[in-house]
């Protein structure tokens, strides 16, 4: 099994590839990053394709597909790359097997509540004689018309087995899904896009000295899918999306994991791009690993927060922190950090050796 962390700017896009029992390569994509992960305007308006586009082309060349697409939640930096792909490529549905996505329609049906119109995701699909998809469509309608969405609701406590894989879901809980239907509102697309203070000018010890934890309260993040992935009943991996730590920790406790009996995993994909509000020290103590992955380019939202990295290193002085934009480490860590903590290491996320 291999895991690739695409350069997804301020978002997440993670490819898991493995061989099934018959030796066939299978692919799972977790999120698609913001729109520029697939396509963006370059110099003089010339289109520039990103790593998601390159991935799709590679799969097509080898007659492969994304057997399962997991969309963790509705935030732009997780879903817009997929929407950009669908709008650019009228044959996108041919490359996707199934989709797990807690759409407003699916959550509303599960909770017997009214749908949230704010969750409507509008698409402009290119007309093509090979598809009956109309020019204008909602994302959920597009999924249904192409028989892609399973229609299942994903929530903490649920588990699903797919061949050699087992998914144990930690988030969201019922309360977070209910809030998505009742409280979530679309935000200004320019909201919170400028970089916030992330503490890079301070040392790790200085960050810890004034650390106070306040949990994220964003409704969309609270609805994020997070899960333990087990491969061949042996190796476990933890993918936290943008989930809230309190929800994840509660579900870990339900499964019997805590600081006295931490969950052993090959690595953990840290929640919300390394935000200090989405990973508490208490949660870190309930996870047994020395590999921590950060998906963020560091140019918006102030992610990753240095205090979050300090919590990781304080909890595990020999931690190995993986960045999908490894050039960030030159901005974050300074010589004093190496004097204070001389055992932690940092790497390119795509050099991660999950079998080491």
């Amino acid at each position: 099994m291999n895991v690739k962390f695409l350069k997804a700017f301020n978002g997440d896009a993670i490819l898991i590839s493995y061989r099934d029992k018959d030796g066939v390569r299978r692919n799972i994509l977790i999120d698609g990053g913001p729109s520029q992960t697939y396509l963006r305007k370059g110099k003089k308006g010339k289109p520039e394709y990103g790593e998601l586009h390159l991935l799709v082309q590679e799969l097509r060349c080898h007659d492969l597909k994304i057997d399962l697409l997991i969309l963790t939640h509705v935030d732009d930096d997780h879903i817009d790359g997929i929407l950009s792909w669908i709008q650019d490529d009228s044959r996108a549905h041919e490359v996707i097997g199934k989709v797990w996505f807690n759409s407003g329609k699916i959550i509303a049906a599960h909770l017997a509540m009214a749908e949230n119109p704010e969750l409507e995701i509008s698409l402009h699909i290119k007309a093509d004689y090979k598809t009956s998809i109309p020019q204008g469509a909602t994302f959920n309608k597009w999924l249904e018309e192409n028989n892609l969405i399973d229609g299942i609701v994903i929530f903490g406590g649920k588990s699903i087995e797919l061949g050699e894989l087992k998914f144990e879901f930690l988030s969201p809980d019922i309360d977070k899904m209910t809030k998505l239907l009742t409280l979530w509102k679309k935000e200004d697309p320019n909201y919170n896009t400028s970089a916030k203070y992330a503490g890079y000018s301070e040392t790790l010890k200085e960050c810890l000295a004034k650390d106070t934890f306040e949990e994220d309260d964003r409704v969309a993040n609270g609805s994020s899918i997070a899960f333990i992935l087990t491969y061949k009943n042996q190796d476990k991996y933890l993918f936290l999306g943008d989930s809230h730590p309190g929800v994840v920790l509660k579900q870990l406790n339900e499964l019997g994991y805590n600081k006295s009996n931490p969950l052993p995993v090959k690595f953990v994909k840290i929640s919300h791009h390394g935000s200090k509000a989405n990973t508490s020290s208490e949660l870190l103590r309930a996870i047994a690993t020395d590999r921590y992955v950060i998906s963020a380019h560091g140019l918006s939202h102030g992610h990753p927060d240095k205090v979050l990295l300090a919590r990781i290193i304080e909890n595990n002085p020999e931690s190995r922190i993986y960045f999908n934009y490894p050039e960030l480490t030159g901005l974050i860590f300074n010589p004093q950090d190496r004097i204070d903590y001389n055992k932690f290491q940092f790497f390119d996320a795509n050099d991660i050796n999950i079998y080491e």
Side-chain angles (χ1 to χ4, degrees), residues 25-36:
R25 176 181 165 182
R26 300 296 181 185
N27 302 287
I28 299 171
L29 181 65
I30 305 172
D31 292 330
S35 59
Q36 56 266 41

Side-chain angles (χ1 to χ4, degrees), residues 72-73 75 156 169-173 175-177 179-180 183-184 213-227 238-252 269-273 275-280 282-284 287:
T72 59
H73 61 300
D75 267 347
F169 297 99
L170 307 175
S171 172
D173 62 13
D175 176 63
K176 302 298 183 182
M177 289 193 293
K179 286 181 177 178
L180 192 70
L183 299 178
W184 190 79
F213 179 72
E214 294 183 20
E215 182 160 306
D216 180 17
D217 62 358
R218 290 198 63 243
V219 172
N221 290 343
S223 72
S224 178
I225 293 172
F227 57 91
L238 186 55
F239 295 90
L240 294 180
D242 279 7
S243 58
H244 288 171
V247 173
V248 171
L249 185 60
K250 181 179 178 181
Q251 192 58 44
L252 285 176
K269 200 295 291 185
I270 291 293
S271 179
H272 198 199
H273 323 293
S275 167
K276 62 184 179 182
N278 292 77
T279 303
S280 63
E282 187 179 7
L283 176 57
L284 289 171
I287 303 167

Side-chain angles (χ1 to χ4, degrees), residues 75-76 118 184-192 218-220 301:
D75 267 347
D76 294 350
E118 294 281 341
W184 190 79
K185 301 291 181 184
K186 287 181 180 177
E187 296 170 341
D188 184 321
N190 296 315
Y191 170 77
N192 204 20
R218 290 198 63 243
V219 172
H301 309 287

Side-chain angles (χ1 to χ4, degrees), residues 43-165:
K43 294 180 179 178
K44 298 182 179 180
K46 183 179 179 180
E48 291 184 0
Y49 287 103
E51 291 198 352
L52 178 58
H53 179 270
L54 297 176
L55 168 62
V56 172
Q57 296 306 107
E58 177 194 354
L59 292 175
R60 278 198 168 111
C61 284
H62 292 89
D63 197 26
L64 297 169
K65 64 168 55 179
I66 295 168
D67 297 278
L68 173 63
L69 171 61
I70 302 174
L71 294 172
T72 59
H73 61 300
V74 296
D75 267 347
D76 294 350
D77 56 343
H78 291 254
I79 196 173
D80 271 10
I82 301 300
L83 303 183
S84 179
W85 170 26
I86 289 169
Q87 292 174 90
D88 179 68
D89 179 3
S90 61
R91 297 173 55 207
H93 59 286
E94 298 175 2
V95 191
I96 304 173
K98 284 292 181 183
V99 178
W100 290 347
F101 174 52
N102 281 344
S103 69
K105 180 177 181 179
I106 288 174
I107 295 175
H110 178 74
L111 299 178
M113 295 174 62
E115 291 185 50
N116 182 348
E118 294 281 341
L119 288 168
E120 187 86 350
I121 300 171
S122 297
L123 291 169
H124 178 78
I125 307 296
K126 287 185 177 180
D128 189 283
Y129 70 92
K130 295 180 180 178
T131 177
S132 62
I133 299 298
Q135 289 248 0
T138 67
F139 183 47
N140 199 77
K141 182 180 179 183
W142 183 88
L143 293 171
E144 289 178 338
E145 291 188 1
N146 285 290
N147 194 32
L148 295 178
I149 196 159
D150 268 352
I152 60 175
V153 62
I154 303 294
F155 55 88
K158 188 185 188 78
S159 66
I160 298 176
E161 294 191 23
L162 291 178
E164 291 88 352
L165 303 180

Side-chain angles (χ1 to χ4, degrees), residues 169-335:
F169 297 99
L170 307 175
S171 172
D173 62 13
I174 298 299
D175 176 63
K176 302 298 183 182
M177 289 193 293
T178 301
K179 286 181 177 178
L180 192 70
L181 289 186
T182 57
L183 299 178
W184 190 79
K185 301 291 181 184
K186 287 181 180 177
E187 296 170 341
D188 184 321
N190 296 315
Y191 170 77
N192 204 20
T193 56
S194 60
K196 290 185 174 182
Y197 179 68
Y200 298 165
S201 63
E202 300 175 347
T203 68
L204 291 167
K205 281 195 170 183
E206 287 171 340
C207 288
L208 287 170
K210 59 180 184 181
D211 183 18
T212 56
F213 179 72
E214 294 183 20
E215 182 160 306
D216 180 17
D217 62 358
R218 290 198 63 243
V219 172
N221 290 343
S223 72
S224 178
I225 293 172
F227 57 91
I228 304 166
L229 175 64
T230 305
Y231 181 51
K232 291 187 174 180
N233 294 316
Q234 293 179 319
D235 299 330
K236 295 181 182 293
Y237 309 85
L238 186 55
F239 295 90
L240 294 180
D242 279 7
S243 58
H244 288 171
V247 173
V248 171
L249 185 60
K250 181 179 178 181
Q251 192 58 44
L252 285 176
N253 292 163
E254 290 287 331
L255 293 172
Y257 300 113
N258 50 53
K259 66 179 181 180
S260 299
N261 181 40
L263 169 71
V265 293
K266 288 289 187 178
F267 67 72
V268 52
K269 200 295 291 185
I270 291 293
S271 179
H272 198 199
H273 323 293
S275 167
K276 62 184 179 182
N278 292 77
T279 303
S280 63
S281 295
E282 187 179 7
L283 176 57
L284 289 171
R285 288 192 289 269
I287 303 167
T289 189
D290 62 356
R291 295 174 177 83
Y292 307 82
V293 182
I294 305 290
S295 179
H297 67 353
L299 300 179
S300 60
H301 309 287
H303 298 155
D305 286 297
K306 189 165 182 176
V307 68
L308 176 275
L309 301 174
R311 287 177 196 154
I312 291 174
I313 295 166
E314 179 74 6
N315 177 71
N316 184 353
E318 297 185 4
S319 57
R320 301 159 65 94
I321 307 175
Y322 295 81
F323 297 82
N324 62 340
Y325 288 86
E327 60 270 23
L328 262 179
T329 58
L331 299 174
I332 297 172
F333 300 110
N334 58 55

